[in-house]
Amino acid sequence: MKNLMKAHVRVYRALKALPGGDQTQIGIVKNIFQMDPWRRWHIIDWALGLILNGIFNGSILTFFRTGKFKFSLPFVASSSFEDRGAPSTLDFIGLNYYSHLHLKFEMNPKQFFSYHHPKSDTMTDMDYTIYPEGFYRAIKEISTVGKPVFVTENGIADARDDRREIWIRRYLYAMSRAIHEGADVRGYFYWSFLDNFE
């Protein structure tokens, strides 16, 4: 992730320096998968969510807000760097969003958490649930970067074609709510009618 951020900044500046570069629009796309606690009463489940959200979502968004990148997974890895000009190396930001994950702490040093889905949730053909609330949350979160937002990926794997309408209606409603609250969403790209070939 650190190398990705450094590469983006360097490539953005190099492309903008080319003839006509000042007329181009260059951005980056962030996939956001929220990590929520499986047991809402369990403080370690909450802590896991905060740490992993910070690593996979917050570290990149913070970098493009402040120019400071920090990756920290306690007892495993830590890395940081600073580039104060980084916030100016985005003309827009893309959002890929599908769903969220519930984390449960496990007393296992090899794998100290597991993923779960409530039985009441509606699953897609892939291993995630229909969760438009998270789409709203992701748009609000990515909007804190202060750049126009394009939803570059969204869609449902649905071989039976019995949940697609619910998905589209609910996710578009979540996006419209975020827009009405001030999110600068400029575009929305849904999967093709073929979904993914998976």
Side-chain angles (χ1 to χ4, degrees):
M1 286 170 55
K2 178 179 177 180
N3 288 340
L4 177 64
M5 295 301 94
K6 286 186 171 182
H8 168 82
V9 168
R10 291 178 65 183
V11 170
Y12 179 96
R13 291 171 178 158
L15 290 173
K16 288 289 188 175
L18 293 173
D22 58 337
Q23 298 173 34
T24 62
Q25 293 289 299
I26 302 171
I28 197 166
V29 174
K30 177 70 185 91
N31 179 44
I32 290 184
F33 241 96
Q34 294 107 353
M35 317 292 176
D36 292 326
W38 174 244
R39 299 164 293 188
R40 298 191 66 80
W41 51 268
H42 201 287
I43 193 166
I44 302 181
D45 288 5
W46 278 99
L48 273 172
L50 288 171
I51 291 168
L52 294 179
N53 276 314
I55 291 171
F56 295 110
N57 299 322
S59 63
I60 290 176
L61 299 182
T62 298
F63 177 67
F64 286 115
R65 279 194 306 265
T66 67
K68 296 178 181 178
F69 177 83
K70 183 177 181 181
F71 178 104
S72 181
L73 183 58
F75 311 111
V76 177
S78 181
S79 183
S80 64
F81 78 98
E82 186 172 341
D83 185 327
R84 297 247 177 206
S88 65
T89 63
L90 279 184
D91 300 315
F92 67 88
I93 190 161
L95 169 63
N96 292 355
Y97 187 83
Y98 298 101
S99 188
H100 66 152
L101 299 170
H102 285 100
L103 303 179
K104 180 183 179 185
F105 175 71
E106 303 283 355
M107 292 293 290
N108 179 350
K110 292 184 179 179
Q111 185 173 337
F112 55 91
F113 63 88
S114 56
Y115 300 118
H116 298 270
H117 302 293
K119 291 181 181 178
S120 60
D121 281 3
T122 303
M123 300 297 293
T124 70
D125 290 354
M126 299 171 82
D127 193 24
Y128 54 81
T129 64
I130 295 177
Y131 186 59
E133 296 89 345
F135 187 36
Y136 166 82
R137 288 166 55 193
I139 293 170
K140 297 288 279 189
E141 184 177 10
I142 210 164
S143 293
T144 64
V145 171
K147 301 293 181 179
V149 175
F150 287 87
V151 179
T152 42
E153 272 192 39
N154 188 247
I156 180 174
D158 180 13
R160 297 191 310 270
D161 200 23
D162 60 0
R163 291 149 289 165
R164 188 181 329 278
E165 181 181 356
I166 291 171
W167 176 287
I168 293 172
R169 285 181 181 275
R170 291 181 181 175
Y171 278 67
L172 288 181
Y173 172 76
M175 181 173 65
S176 71
R177 182 178 160 204
I179 291 170
H180 286 303
E181 293 177 4
D184 186 12
V185 179
R186 303 282 180 93
Y188 172 84
F189 295 87
Y190 183 79
W191 283 359
S192 75
F193 73 99
L194 293 173
D195 296 333
N196 276 2
F197 283 109
E198 290 97 321

